[in-house]
Amino acid sequence: MQFINLVFNLLFSVLSLIIFGMSGYALVHALRVPADAFVSAGKLQKNIWLIILILATLFSAAGAWQYVINFLIIWGRAFLGIGMGIFSIAAVIAAAIYIVDVKPAVKGMGGRGGNNGPYGPW
């Protein structure tokens, strides 16, 4: 039983780190995209996406911290439980929506400029 607890605790610890990485990646991408790109693509404004992704990153960081610290303390002696909570689920949904829907829509808009010709980058 201790081995099964260890496997599940490790699985949920890794899953929480993946959720944190995913929301952090979405936040960094949203910071780098110009605000006009969101409006041009017909998506929510950049400020709204930044608020959503900052909250998602904070909640997923708290969840990852909780799982990793508890995993290091408990290991396989007891099952930590599915303590992801509604906020971690909301964080992964927000990051997934941004990565799958918003990121491709704003991908080629704006940016560093200077290297774009009339038909795209040179």
Side-chain angles (χ1 to χ4, degrees), residues 97-113:
I97 288 173
Y98 181 85
I99 291 171
V100 172
D101 184 41
V102 178
K103 183 182 175 220
V106 298
K107 183 177 181 183
M109 300 181 184
R112 299 198 172 161

Side-chain angles (χ1 to χ4, degrees), residues 4-94:
I4 294 172
N5 288 338
L6 177 67
V7 169
F8 277 115
N9 289 344
L10 180 63
L11 175 72
F12 283 117
S13 297
V14 169
L15 187 62
S16 67
L17 289 172
I18 289 171
I19 293 171
F20 174 58
M22 190 170 127
S23 47
Y25 170 75
L27 177 63
V28 168
H29 184 270
L31 286 170
R32 298 183 69 200
V33 174
D36 296 339
F38 289 89
V39 176
S40 298
K43 304 298 177 187
L44 291 175
Q45 294 179 358
K46 180 178 180 173
N47 294 338
I48 295 172
W49 272 113
L50 287 178
I51 291 170
I52 292 170
L53 293 174
I54 286 171
L55 290 174
T57 305
L58 288 175
F59 287 131
S60 62
W65 175 262
Q66 172 193 356
Y67 266 111
V68 171
I69 293 301
N70 287 337
F71 176 73
L72 292 176
I73 294 170
I74 293 176
W75 284 86
R77 291 186 295 257
F79 179 55
L80 291 175
I82 306 173
M84 303 281 285
I86 192 76
F87 293 115
S88 292
I89 294 170
V92 75
I93 290 171

